[in-house]
Amino acid sequence: MTAHAAAHGMVGGERAQGAVGVHTQKLGMWVFLVSEVMFFTALIGSYIILRWGTGAEWPEPRTVLAIPVTAVNTFILICSSVSMVKAYAAAVKDDQAGLKRWLLATVVGGATFVSVQAFEYHHLVEKGFLPGSGLFGATFYTMTGFHGFHVTCGVLSMIWVTIRAFRGKYAGGKFQGIETIGLYWHFVDLVWIILFTIVYLI
Amino acid sequence: MTAAGTALPGHLHVDDRSFVRKYVFSTDHKIIGIQFLFLSLFFLLVGGLLAMGIRWQLGFPGQPMPLGGWLPEGVAPGGVVSPKTYIGLVTMHGTFMIFFAVMPLLVGVFANYLIPLKIGAPDMAFPRLNMWSFWLMIPSGLLMLASLFVLGGMSVAGWTVYAPLSNSPDYTGVHLGQQLWCLSIVIFGASSLLGSVNYITTVINLRAPGMTWFRLPLSVWALFITAVLAILAVPVLAGAVIMLFFDQTIGTHFYLPAGGGQPLMWQHLFWFFGHPEVYILILPAMGIASDVIANGARKPIFGYASMVWAMIGIAFLGFIVWGHHMFQSGMNPTLASAFMVSTIVIAVPSAIKVFNWLGTMWRGSIHFTTPMLNAIAFVSMFIIGGLSGIFMASTPVDMYIHGTYFIVAHIHYVLFGGSLFAVYAGIYFWFPKMFGKQLDERLGKVHFALTFVFYNLTFFPMHILGLGGEMRRIYDPTVYEYLRPMQPINVFISVSAFALFLAQLVFAWNIVRTLARGKKADINPWRDCGLEWTVPSPPPHGNFETTPTVYHGPYEFSVPGAAQDYLPVNQPLPPVPEGRR
Amino acid sequence: MHWWFPGNASSVGGKVDSLFYVILYITGAVFVLVEATLVVFLVRYRKRSGRTATYVEGSTRAEIIWTAIPALILVTLALVSQPLWSKIKDADTYPRDAAHLGLEAKQFEWHVTYPGPDGKLGTDDDFLKRDSIHLVVNRDYVLELTARDVVHSLFIPAFRLKQDLVPGMTIRMWIRPTRTGTFEMACSELCGLGHYRMRGVVVVHTPQEYAAWLVSQGEASAADSAAASAATAVPTPPPTDGKGAQ
Amino acid sequence: METAEHKAPNYIAVWAALAVLTVVEVAVVYLHLPRRLTVVSLVFLALWKAMLVALYFMHLRFEPKRLLYVVLAPLPLAVILVVGVMHGFRGP
Ligand code: HEA
Ligand code: HEA
Ligand code: CUA
Ligand SMILES: [Cu+2]
């Protein structure tokens, strides 16, 4: 369309507030998550390429990793996702008590996940399974390590949010912050769902 | 001051920020843009100095460099560049120019400074993130600078740091230098991500009333698309570099065949980032050139819509051509053919843009201001660089010219002739807005003329060298008999290169002098339509007294029936005269 | 003294050159046309008193024309390039009866393995030459390219041939010399500090010369190959320039 | 705030679904089905779980379509990258 056609079109900018019609903070988080997708694409992609794109022989993950433990851990992370979304629901209903409760649950869930992963690492290292041990070691530690790093950042910011919640910062409909951090949290959960499957199970 | 329209977050207030908040850890997009300007000009200078080292060795192989005696023995024994130092110079020249000079110049400076002003926003969507994106560049840049001086020397693997050469000190003796390179690039990635998230969100959500998508200035469109490219491409580089870093430090084997790794995987990941990167380096230049050319020709941009679609096309195609850097790498030849086709197709949107620029000048009234001159140079030089790209896109021809100076010529025609000329155009054009002082036009024209001449004298002969078969990244061409006859060309290039460098000092001097005692610039020195020209120079914190309303596109020059030959976008169009459309 | 392509000496070189010239003429024409138009516009439409710019926003017809024409030219370009490419690089199309030579690159040497009398690689009568490839004119060869340490790139300007050698891969490249003589070969992928001096020669013989040369190799090469296989034993390259240059 | 307007989905149900799917996944592994079948079903299950999280926890189901496009943009690129590289390895 030419500038003039536009000029005779609507002026006064209903569209000015966001072509996507999404709150700025949320949109920003989504855009950031898009870049995160590409980051994990590089890591997970390399794993796929190295394992299935080249003749490299690969150990059965089961023989190296403890699946039951990690399955439980996965479940824990999923739970923390649910508690997060519950916290959001509470915030929407302006139920401050619920918000605080669910946020605390989320922090605990996330922290547990990280500690279990740390324990798992410790165990694997003792068994002599290191980043240096073949492509499996390299890809395993890189992918899960960076995921763990993301969870850790999540937990830290979640603690910060919880403190703010206790200070009543999200009362009276000001709950956008909760939704935004929640998006990040669920994304990390989502990535883990993929990782758990292709790294531990397949 | 009155509060800005409720539509927009943040509002004007009496500016009572402390000096530090105002000029150091500022969250004001304008200050951040200016900080980026000086930082990246500094790195441009560094990259230029390194280039002079390169040219000395190539022009006068094995002869002691002037002032070379000051360099430590390890670097330049007796003032002579050592092979290791030479490759280091090349690597760091490429790295600094691409990541620390031109990319911040185009994106850091103009995206930050222009986007909010041009779309009528008081600031970026996330001013604090924006501040971080600048302050992350500092550690990143410092690490890269430090890597020049560490034990074992700087990275010597080329700016493409191909594995396995870059993986292990066994091959080059470089360890710390290469690791610092990786760290610096990862931090750089974080910085450009924060920036890009900001630009995208801002353009989508903070446009002033009436500033519809198809009224955005092409510069904003370009910067927006560039930001999209960045958030999609840069994370891949970050991931790849992190794996490289692990290979060097914790003994993984991602790229080392010894442990089952794949050297080619590095090349794929790098170029999956690398090619979009080169378009990150040209799209903003195209946007700036479009704005300046329309203004200089006093005419609406020709084919605005197709200009936009062409850029979107380039951006999309840019992601499926990365293999053209790997034609000779041992990649599956059938796949190479596919990449050849996509690469050749990408010339079409570029063609559209070139012809639309010509169309814009056609029947215009061209004012040869310094910005306009640089913008015209951009167009004509980009054509040369682009056309040389066609040779390489053809796989069989690339087989001969790959890894020769023909590529080096291409690089510099697109990156200097393209990007850097546009950067100069942009700086000359928006400097008055940024600092409220008008750069000296006479000095500007001198700088332009000298740069244009010596630039071509420096880089055009490189095509000949390439066709003669001279390889890139070689310390001393005279090792080869078949290259010796061409040594005079190398001498000629080097001399022109030194002159080119000196010509840039005119520019530096112009900036310094103008800042010291330049003549005051009025609000709208170029008689342009953009919103940024409706506010004082420099604009106040918060930009707009009240949220402006936009009534038409950004290029309404010489509108029939209008009082002056330009119509600011915040003024309604005159009634359409009879008979026209 | 040449400031242009070295004289061609291989079966594909001529075709590469003519393709290059085709592109040169096309892009040359485009270049002249576009830049000339630019200059004409700059002169004719420069600012002059009494003339103002005419208000034009664009023209769909023009857009279509200058999208279609380049697209057409460019696609044809791809079409003409493709067959030559697969002829050169697609291993399935290589002549069956070609003689196979081994070429291993290491920092900063070329190790050429000759099949020896029995004409087969990997048998113990193979022998090895450093930095020089000896070929018979008008005969098909397939080089089996490997790299011991980092990525190198075989570049024989007179043959217009270039192919990277990647550690962990065996890449086959077909050559057919068409002119006797001695030609320089270079490494054109940055492979370390000695990259610039990773030079070799390709010697193209007449059959008779070659036979003579083969005989002369007999005992001489024995020592040579022994030395080289010793070098092969070293896992990582001797850091000649590597650690040395510090 | 449009996400607040739609009535919140039954998060507990989603949670139960995710839990069950996880159990199924682990079961599949220990069932020792034919390799290909295992892989296919595992990938399918994983994508299913991922979708549940994205659609309900991240509310994509209730967002404007445009946001959905923004979010899906990188996925084709990811595929192009991986597929491209894997094809690239079969050298001449
Ligand atoms: C700003 C940066 C920039 C830009 C815009 C481009 C644009 C293009 N580049 Fe370039 N390129 C680089 C930066 C850039 N490049 C760099 C830095 C390298 C080297 C990296 C390294 O190895 O260090 C490189 C390397 C490079 C290679 C690899 C060479 C090799 O290593 O063997 C190839 C191969 O295809 C290539 C092709 C192209 C093509 C086809 C375009 C096209 O987009 C150009 C399109 C434009 C035109 C064609 C001109 C205008 C059009 C017309 C006037 C219309 C009429 C034209 C016709 C009908 C033909 N480039
Ligand atoms: C934008 C990118 C850019 C720019 C501007 C330049 C500029 C120059 N480059 Fe660059 N070059 C590259 C990007 C660039 N280069 C890349 C990517 C490579 C590949 C690297 C590799 O192979 O790994 C390369 C490689 C390369 C080579 C090949 C080396 C080899 O392969 O062996 C050569 C050789 O001559 C060379 C020369 C030059 C010269 C003489 C300039 C001159 O134009 C320099 C002129 C000087 C300046 C432009 C700086 C002056 C600026 C100022 C004074 C600023 C003013 C300051 C204030 C106001 C405070 N370059
Ligand atoms: Cu071997 Cu360069
Ligand atoms: Cu490219």
Side-chain angles (χ1 to χ4, degrees):
Chain A
M1 96 173 108
T2 70
H4 273 278
H8 305 315
M10 46 111 242
V11 174
E14 304 84 293
R15 286 179 59 196
Q17 268 315 295
V20 186
V22 177
H23 185 285
T24 301
Q25 210 183 61
K26 193 206 280 186
L27 181 63
M29 176 53 80
W30 269 116
V31 175
F32 172 71
L33 291 184
V34 166
S35 75
E36 286 279 51
V37 172
M38 287 316 281
F39 177 73
F40 279 102
T41 299
L43 300 186
I44 300 177
S46 312
Y47 166 78
I48 296 176
I49 290 158
L50 290 171
R51 183 169 174 184
W52 288 287
T54 75
E57 85 290 340
W58 210 269
E60 203 44 25
R62 249 180 300 156
T63 59
V64 185
L65 309 167
I67 293 186
V69 184
T70 318
V72 174
N73 211 18
T74 309
F75 179 68
I76 295 173
L77 196 59
I78 292 177
C79 294
S80 80
S81 232
V82 179
S83 57
M84 181 68 231
V85 86
K86 278 299 214 182
Y88 172 65
V92 174
K93 288 201 245 64
D94 205 355
D95 156 15
Q96 290 304 306
L99 172 65
K100 293 172 195 159
R101 207 177 328 106
W102 286 116
L103 280 178
L104 279 174
T106 314
V107 173
V108 174
T112 326
F113 177 87
V114 179
S115 355
V116 173
Q117 200 179 21
F119 165 80
E120 179 196 22
Y121 273 25
H122 177 73
H123 184 70
L124 289 172
V125 170
E126 280 194 334
K127 268 175 45 187
F129 180 71
L130 299 163
S133 8
L135 291 175
F136 187 38
T139 47
F140 171 82
Y141 281 104
T142 312
M143 287 186 290
T144 56
F146 268 97
H147 178 267
F149 171 71
H150 278 77
V151 181
T152 316
C153 296
V155 172
L156 293 179
S157 35
M158 201 57 72
I159 291 173
W160 167 237
V161 171
T162 316
I163 294 170
R164 281 171 58 86
F166 274 87
R167 297 227 190 97
K169 287 279 199 309
Y170 301 107
K174 300 202 303 299
F175 50 77
Q176 184 54 47
I178 303 286
E179 184 182 20
T180 311
I181 184 76
L183 284 174
Y184 175 81
W185 191 262
H186 299 309
F187 173 77
V188 174
D189 181 19
L190 193 154
V191 171
W192 181 255
I193 288 174
I194 305 291
L195 282 184
F196 176 60
T197 308
I198 71 172
V199 178
Y200 288 81
L201 298 184
I202 291 184
Chain B
M1 292 192 184
T2 64
T6 48
L8 300 170
H11 51 81
L12 295 175
H13 52 79
V14 189
D15 196 347
D16 54 2
R17 296 166 302 158
S18 71
F19 177 83
V20 174
R21 279 250 151 274
K22 214 167 177 168
Y23 297 111
V24 185
F25 296 105
S26 171
T27 58
D28 182 330
H29 71 99
K30 297 184 290 302
I31 301 299
I32 295 173
I34 288 167
Q35 290 172 321
F36 263 112
L37 177 65
F38 287 116
L39 186 69
S40 39
L41 281 177
F42 166 74
F43 283 125
L44 185 66
L45 182 57
V46 174
L49 285 168
L50 295 173
M52 295 306 108
I54 296 176
R55 271 335 304 182
W56 177 266
Q57 167 58 26
L58 288 174
F60 315 96
Q63 295 174 38
M65 232 186 325
L67 312 179
W70 296 5
L71 297 170
E73 276 301 297
V75 178
V80 179
V81 180
S82 73
K84 183 168 189 173
T85 307
Y86 178 79
I87 306 181
L89 288 174
V90 174
T91 305
M92 286 302 146
H93 166 67
T95 307
F96 276 120
M97 284 300 196
I98 297 258
F99 294 109
F100 294 92
V102 173
M103 197 169 163
L105 269 175
L106 285 167
V107 180
V109 176
F110 292 109
N112 269 311
Y113 199 89
L114 293 184
I115 288 178
L117 276 170
K118 275 185 165 297
I119 68 175
D123 204 320
M124 286 287 179
F126 312 105
R128 190 167 272 96
L129 285 190
N130 211 22
M131 177 185 83
W132 276 105
S133 97
F134 172 76
W135 282 102
L136 280 175
M137 277 304 276
I138 300 290
S140 174
L142 286 177
L143 282 178
M144 196 56 85
L145 282 171
S147 81
L148 292 167
F149 307 104
V150 291
L151 191 76
M154 56 192 131
S155 165
V156 292
W159 83 281
T160 57
V161 294
Y162 272 15
L165 184 65
S166 52
N167 277 62
S168 129
D170 296 343
Y171 303 128
T172 56
V174 176
H175 38 91
L176 259 174
Q178 185 58 53
Q179 292 164 16
L180 287 181
W181 190 95
C182 295
L183 289 175
S184 166
I185 290 299
V186 170
I187 300 175
F188 163 85
S191 154
S192 78
L193 271 181
L194 291 181
S196 307
V197 169
N198 238 321
Y199 311 146
I200 294 175
T201 320
T202 310
V203 172
I204 292 181
N205 263 19
L206 298 194
R207 280 169 291 127
M211 181 55 89
T212 58
W213 279 103
F214 278 80
R215 288 179 188 173
L216 286 175
L218 286 173
S219 52
V220 176
W221 259 116
L223 291 161
F224 175 75
I225 297 171
T226 304
V228 174
L229 283 180
I231 63 158
L232 293 174
V234 171
V236 177
L237 175 71
V241 168
I242 284 166
M243 288 187 272
L244 181 62
F245 186 71
F246 285 167
D247 274 7
Q248 294 158 353
T249 48
I250 61 174
T252 59
H253 296 89
F254 286 104
Y255 309 118
L256 282 170
Q262 282 288 349
L264 280 190
M265 191 173 80
W266 166 264
Q267 298 186 22
H268 278 290
L269 292 177
F270 181 87
W271 288 119
F272 183 86
F273 151 81
H275 191 86
E277 166 70 10
V278 304
Y279 289 122
I280 289 175
L281 295 171
I282 202 68
L283 284 175
M286 292 172 159
I288 292 169
S290 306
D291 280 18
V292 173
I293 289 177
N295 172 284
R298 314 309 296 166
K299 250 186 88 208
I301 203 81
F302 196 92
Y304 173 92
S306 55
M307 283 296 234
V308 173
W309 288 114
M311 283 197 283
I312 294 174
I314 291 177
F316 170 72
L317 289 168
F319 275 104
I320 55 173
V321 300
W322 80 87
H324 66 220
H325 297 270
M326 301 173 62
F327 285 152
Q328 317 308 331
S329 68
M331 177 178 67
N332 175 351
T334 322
L335 187 64
S337 306
F339 278 123
M340 164 173 69
V341 174
S342 56
T343 301
I344 281 185
V345 168
I346 211 170
V348 173
S350 316
I352 296 176
K353 296 199 72 69
V354 168
F355 293 131
N356 277 300
W357 285 318
L358 292 184
T360 307
M361 295 182 214
W362 170 68
R363 297 177 65 192
S365 161
I366 301 168
H367 295 44
F368 291 100
T369 59
T370 316
M372 184 61 174
L373 287 170
N374 282 281
I376 294 167
F378 162 85
V379 174
S380 53
M381 294 299 106
F382 171 71
I383 292 171
I384 300 180
L387 290 176
S388 67
I390 301 299
F391 290 81
M392 314 159 187
S394 165
T395 41
V397 177
D398 180 67
M399 184 169 66
Y400 179 63
I401 56 181
H402 169 70
T404 66
Y405 266 75
F406 198 88
I407 310 298
V408 179
H410 169 72
I411 296 178
H412 293 90
Y413 264 89
V414 282
L415 279 172
F416 192 126
S419 314
L420 202 53
F421 269 118
V423 166
Y424 287 152
I427 291 179
Y428 283 112
F429 194 72
W430 281 289
F431 193 91
K433 188 52 65 181
M434 291 179 171
F435 299 98
K437 302 260 188 89
Q438 192 86 25
L439 279 170
D440 183 313
E441 275 283 301
R442 200 177 336 68
L443 274 181
K445 292 201 165 98
V446 171
H447 166 234
F448 167 76
L450 292 175
T451 309
F452 188 78
V453 170
F454 287 115
Y455 158 78
N456 280 291
L457 292 181
T458 305
F459 294 112
F460 197 84
M462 288 187 182
H463 292 105
I464 311 290
L465 287 181
L467 296 180
E470 180 167 333
M471 291 75 70
R472 345 167 18 177
R473 299 167 168 177
I474 53 170
Y475 166 69
D476 179 0
T478 59
V479 168
Y480 294 84
E481 274 154 28
Y482 76 102
L483 294 180
R484 275 184 212 130
M486 293 192 296
Q487 195 50 22
I489 305 185
N490 267 319
V491 178
F492 177 82
I493 291 178
S494 294
V495 175
S496 327
F498 302 145
L500 177 59
F501 183 89
L502 295 179
Q504 305 313 307
L505 297 179
V506 178
F507 173 64
W509 165 242
N510 195 351
I511 290 182
V512 175
R513 207 192 74 168
T514 307
L515 287 179
R517 44 182 174 78
K519 81 166 164 43
K520 197 94 192 51
D522 56 7
I523 284 195
N524 191 356
W526 311 111
R527 310 192 349 272
D528 194 62
C529 313
L531 269 179
E532 75 272 34
W533 302 107
T534 64
V535 292
S537 322
H541 183 54
N543 298 348
F544 300 93
E545 291 269 328
T546 56
T547 309
T549 307
V550 175
Y551 294 96
H552 55 77
Y555 302 115
E556 294 303 322
F557 294 102
S558 318
V559 181
Q564 348 100 301
D565 72 344
Y566 68 103
L567 268 184
V569 291
N570 61 349
Q571 289 173 23
L573 289 165
V576 182
E578 290 318 308
R580 294 191 90 263
R581 85 182 68 78
Chain C
M1 71 181 253
H2 84 286
W3 276 13
W4 199 243
F5 296 95
N8 166 45
S10 85
S11 56
V12 295
K15 299 190 184 63
V16 172
D17 290 0
S18 35
L19 183 54
F20 169 85
Y21 284 111
V22 171
I23 302 178
L24 183 63
Y25 297 145
I26 296 177
T27 52
V30 171
F31 170 73
V32 172
L33 275 170
V34 179
E35 300 281 2
T37 325
L38 178 60
V39 173
V40 170
F41 284 3
L42 292 182
V43 176
R44 269 197 66 197
Y45 304 119
R46 69 183 182 283
K47 180 179 104 199
R48 266 181 273 128
S49 52
R51 243 195 85 258
T52 55
T54 15
Y55 184 93
V56 191
E57 279 180 305
S59 141
T60 319
R61 200 145 122 281
E63 300 289 346
I64 294 171
I65 292 171
W66 63 49
T67 308
I69 294 176
L72 218 69
I73 299 175
L74 288 161
V75 172
T76 17
L77 209 56
L79 293 182
V80 283
S81 303
Q82 210 290 326
L84 179 57
W85 172 249
S86 40
K87 183 169 189 292
I88 300 170
K89 289 278 170 117
D90 189 343
D92 310 339
T93 66
Y94 292 169
R96 295 267 157 278
D97 59 348
H100 283 238
L101 300 184
L103 176 56
E104 184 188 48
K106 67 182 277 291
Q107 288 180 321
F108 302 97
E109 293 175 355
W110 305 97
H111 291 179
V112 190
T113 316
Y114 294 83
D118 69 352
K120 283 193 200 55
L121 280 175
T123 53
D124 47 15
D125 68 344
D126 295 1
F127 66 95
L128 190 144
K129 285 294 291 169
R130 277 228 189 74
D131 294 342
S132 63
I133 309 180
H134 291 259
L135 305 171
V136 177
V137 68
N138 293 329
R139 201 160 173 301
D140 289 309
Y141 290 89
V142 169
L143 301 183
E144 300 188 352
L145 307 173
T146 55
R148 192 183 301 167
D149 34 42
V150 300
V151 179
H152 302 265
S153 187
L154 172 65
F155 179 32
I156 311 174
F159 290 11
R160 312 287 189 265
L161 280 174
K162 188 175 287 122
Q163 176 58 56
D164 289 7
L165 300 85
V166 185
M169 281 173 82
T170 302
I171 299 167
R172 285 181 292 143
M173 187 176 90
W174 163 59
I175 25 174
R176 182 187 174 90
T178 53
R179 191 150 63 81
T180 57
T182 303
F183 309 98
E184 281 180 300
M185 78 185 187
C187 175
S188 68
E189 184 61 67
L190 179 58
C191 55
L193 310 177
H195 165 59
Y196 71 98
R197 52 171 180 74
M198 188 161 167
R199 178 181 174 276
V201 291
V202 180
V203 187
V204 181
H205 301 279
T206 60
Q208 303 78 357
E209 285 172 10
Y210 186 78
W213 173 79
L214 254 181
V215 179
S216 74
Q217 284 316 301
E219 58 292 339
S221 66
D224 196 348
S225 48
S229 45
T232 324
V234 183
T236 51
T240 38
D241 283 71
K243 303 248 175 23
Q246 299 172 65
Chain D
M1 185 103 317
E2 68 285 293
T3 46
E5 285 149 14
H6 69 80
K7 66 165 196 47
N10 182 347
Y11 293 125
I12 299 303
V14 180
W15 169 71
L18 288 169
V20 174
L21 287 171
T22 312
V23 175
V24 176
E25 276 193 311
V26 179
V28 168
V29 175
Y30 286 99
L31 276 179
H32 295 293
L33 299 163
R35 177 90 181 126
R36 178 165 277 108
L37 182 58
T38 321
V39 173
V40 171
S41 43
L42 282 176
V43 169
F44 171 75
L45 289 164
L47 292 180
W48 190 354
K49 288 164 72 181
M51 261 187 35
L52 286 177
V53 173
L55 289 181
Y56 292 98
F57 290 178
M58 301 172 95
H59 304 118
L60 268 185
R61 195 151 175 266
F62 316 104
E63 298 286 6
K65 280 276 158 297
R66 292 198 214 79
L67 182 60
L68 198 65
Y69 301 145
V70 173
V71 177
L72 294 183
L75 299 185
L77 288 181
V79 176
I80 290 174
L81 174 60
V82 174
V83 173
V85 178
M86 281 174 129
H87 276 274
F89 282 154
R90 290 187 289 97

